Amino acid sequence: MTTPLLEVSDLRTWFPSGKSEVKAVDGVSFSLAPGEVLGLVGESGSGKSITGFSIIGLIDEPGRIVEGSIKLEGRELIGLSPHELRAIRGKTISMVFQDPMMTLNPVLSIGTQIKLALEAHETISSADARERAIKALAQVRIAEPERKVDFFPHQFSGGMRQRVAIAIALLHRPKLIICDEPTTALDVSIQAEILAEMKDLVAELGTALIWISHDLATVSSIADRVAVMRFGKVVEIGPALGVLTKPQHDYTKALLDALPSRAKPGELLLRGSGIADAAPPPRKAATSDLPPLGSPYLVIDAAVKRFEKPAGLFRNLAIRSGIAQPRPVVQAVDGVSITLKRGEVLGLVGESGSGKSTLGRMAAGITVPTSGTIRLAGKPVMSGGRSPHKVTTRVQTIFQDPFASLNSRMRVGDIVAEGPLAHKLVSRAESAEYVARWLSAVGLDPSFANRFPHQFSGGQRQRIAIARALAMQPDVIVCDEPVASLDVSIQAQIINLLIRLRSELDLSLIFISHDLSVVRHLCDRVAIMYQGRIVEEGGAATIYDNPQHDYTKRLLAAVPVLPTAA
Amino acid sequence: MLGFILQRLWQAAIVVLAMSALVFCGVYAVGNPIDVLISPDATQDIRAAVIAQYGLDLPLWQQYFGFLGRVFDGDFGRSFVYNMPVSELILSRLPATLELTLAAVLFASLVGIPIGMYAGYRPNSPVSRAIMALSILGFSVPTFWFGLMLIMLFAVQCGCMPAGGRGDTVSLFGVDFSFLTTDGLSHIILPALNLALFKFSLMIRLARAGTRELMLSDTVKFARAAGISEFTILSRHVLRLISIPLVTVFGLELGSTLAFAVVTETIFSWPGLGKLIIDSITSLDRPVMVAYLMLVAMLFIVINLVVDLTYALLDPRLRKGRA
């Protein structure tokens, strides 16, 4: 057996917090052969990222490595001086981060940033640095590198920026690259491209890789070996195929069971089903004029949304006299007609910029369509006139980010009660009781009503957001990526909650997501959006098993698939 | 970009016009300069002749439009007190204020920003804590008191610095400057220090806050992961990223100091614009006041324009929208 490139043994990285210590990494051991790809999987807080940062010696104060050893080609890294560590960083070990929007400096050109990274480890003339930068960009398959080298990060898309970050990480031919969720912020098709390129590059250059991710399917498509982490410990490590098809540890099994892609569509997912939820409160009698289940309910007809900046006086003059070009108009939604039947779950799938969220906002009466109509049971969702506003409470929305969508200065009870009180669905005297029932309906302790949102985890906050939407007694809920920012096990709980509430309350859902497996699991019908239009629409099973449109086929092919036990 | 500058100039013209009307009416309401100008025992005939000579017998609107017409010809009128063209008077005082203000603001920025960045880079070190305590002191100490203390200490006790005045000046391009002679330089140090104190503290705090936040950002982490040295990270990455708020404050402070360095100029008897405006207010020298306040408005507009153009230079994301 060859000597390992990296040997981590009994690594413990702790963060003091008050009087106690948070044991972020608590006894992690593994080794990595040259050129090997190790997947490091776990949910948030499992210590996978901190493990990566410990190896490269970038633990933020006041965290510290309390014990253990990290040996790179037999040389102990723990205890090295900052100067010696800096000589290794970027040269022998480099790192790629999650969000390419945040990692590159927005005010420096790509060429300058590459030059700075080159100068960190060698003296190089400006002309040579430029040439190396162009070569580095060409290596990560950026078209026209001679021109692109002078671009600034904001002129690149997310995928391109991540390629630039990878190019910088590869500059000095490191022996090890640590990738911390490098494709999580990207669209599936971009993710598939980056994964494929990364695989090729690693094979070509013989670089070892530690691929940190929460997504088992992505990891399975690139890693030779997989380590599953929980509570700062590695619970299971082994060849990728073995760990993912024949998991030994209960936690690995539970993680796999929580994935919607592994369950039958529409069934409750195994994880998170253990919570006993109370029955939702009775609905108002006023909603008895509902059409029967299965009949057309929310009808979107030829909806168009254009975003344009109004031009000022001088610009108008300049445009008329032909000096300036009119500002580009963004056609976010370009003539979409779709019907949501009552009691149905409609999935709206597309990549970023496809217009799915804008369509959802128009359906929910938040954004005014430029043209076209949106009607709920024959009545318009928004009033007419110069400044239209929403006129129905029957459509409610759940937003993606439960950290941003809840007012952090209001108590949970007030957040949930605000809408129903404003629309006189309950009296002030009844509201506490009303809120308590809805909180228990979404699986939260009713006593939480007196707390503030920051005291809750992401999954709990999303439950609060769901309770807030449901308390308005809607018939239609527009869910805009409601599980995108959650861990798989929490995601499973929220999906289960939505499945259950939908059947108990006869809700109709518009479920907006980029995650094809979640949509497959939850939705009856799916519409695929691309560049503001719906390119394909149909029953979920039909679309997934027999896609017609090229874009749909490409999208489905890009989704990483977990290996299944033979 | 051209359209943007045109638009700003158009806005500037409107602001200056509004300013002139406001100031003209305001000053008209303050009092009649004739009472100050001629001795109380002058005859009624002389009094009437002087009033007619300055056009003070006309109704306000006629005086205003007459003034506006002359301004378009470049004539701001004559000072009642100094009996010389106002434009000449202001131009003769401007260099003194300009060099004092620039010395103060540049000192505050060139010394304050690096110190602030250090304090943000090592927020918990004793040195940083001392810097922050000093900056709070700089905020809270009144300018006049600090100026008096400087004079007490350096001029009265040590005798190593002059207490006031401009010292020897050297003519450069037909304008007199102090900072080119050693005597002039020794005269400028104390007032510049006094004027710089507040800005200095402000720059420290801004630079520290920006640096402290950025040191935790992914941009800095990524640069560190590439093995870039801490000094390069601070000088090439962080400084560029925190420069936008710094430039904003630099511009605002430059403008307000140029216009309102009154206290310092009075304490150190610095013959600048601040002293001129105080003198003209006490003697109701109306043309000087009007011209001065219009100049101040112009100054702020120009500085703001330059600051906005600097933004585009500093941040490529802002170039796109205006190109």
Side-chain angles (χ1 to χ4, degrees), chain A residues 79-97:
Chain A
L80 287 187
S81 72
H83 182 75
E84 289 168 308
L85 270 175
R86 191 179 75 71
I88 292 172
R89 282 202 295 267
K91 181 110 179 126
T92 322
I93 308 179
S94 61
M95 190 153 181
V96 177
F97 291 71

Side-chain angles (χ1 to χ4, degrees), chain A residues 9-25:
Chain A
S9 44
D10 202 28
L11 178 71
R12 287 170 207 273
T13 308
W14 293 359
F15 288 80
S17 139
K19 278 180 190 160
S20 63
E21 304 250 14
V22 176
K23 296 172 181 176
V25 176

Side-chain angles (χ1 to χ4, degrees), chain A residues 60 86 89-90 102 105 152, chain B residues 219 221 224-225 227 237 240 316:
Chain A
D60 280 326
R86 191 179 75 71
R89 282 202 295 267
M102 309 293 285
N105 188 331
F152 287 92
Chain B
T219 307
K221 251 190 183 168
R224 280 181 171 160
H237 284 284
R240 277 296 295 274

Side-chain angles (χ1 to χ4, degrees), chain B residues 55-108:
Chain B
L56 296 174
D57 50 345
L58 299 170
L60 178 63
W61 64 271
Q62 272 190 10
Q63 286 187 40
Y64 176 64
F65 283 105
F67 164 77
L68 267 193
R70 287 193 296 279
V71 165
F72 276 111
D73 296 334
D75 174 16
F76 283 89
R78 291 180 80 81
S79 159
F80 298 153
V81 177
Y82 296 89
N83 197 23
M84 62 191 284
V86 169
S87 43
E88 229 170 85
L89 185 65
I90 287 184
L91 278 183
S92 74
R93 296 294 191 92
L94 190 60
T97 296
L98 210 58
E99 72 177 338
L100 179 63
T101 325
L102 277 178
V105 176
L106 284 180
F107 169 78

Side-chain angles (χ1 to χ4, degrees), chain A residues 440-454:
Chain A
S440 44
V442 296
L444 291 173
D445 187 330
S447 67
F448 287 174
N450 288 322
R451 298 201 197 164
F452 288 95
H454 70 87

Side-chain angles (χ1 to χ4, degrees), chain A residues 53 56 58 60 86 89-90 93-97 99 102-108 112-113 116-117 119-121 152 154 165 168-169 313-315 327, chain B residues 3 6-7 10 215-230 232 236-238 240-241 314-323:
Chain A
F53 282 118
I56 201 166
L58 282 178
D60 280 326
R86 191 179 75 71
R89 282 202 295 267
I93 308 179
S94 61
M95 190 153 181
V96 177
F97 291 71
D99 192 346
M102 309 293 285
T103 49
L104 298 175
N105 188 331
V107 299
L108 295 179
T112 313
Q113 299 195 42
L116 285 176
E119 283 169 345
H121 297 291
F152 287 92
H154 72 272
I168 291 176
L313 172 71
F314 278 94
R315 180 157 285 271
R327 279 187 207 275
Chain B
L6 276 178
Q7 198 170 338
W10 168 244
M215 288 320 286
L216 302 173
S217 71
D218 275 2
T219 307
V220 166
K221 251 190 183 168
F222 184 65
R224 280 181 171 160
I228 296 172
S229 73
E230 297 292 292
T232 315
R236 299 296 301 270
H237 284 284
V238 175
R240 277 296 295 274
L241 286 167
L314 285 173
D315 194 334
R317 286 168 296 183
L318 299 176
R319 279 174 222 162
K320 226 169 93 188
R322 290 182 189 148

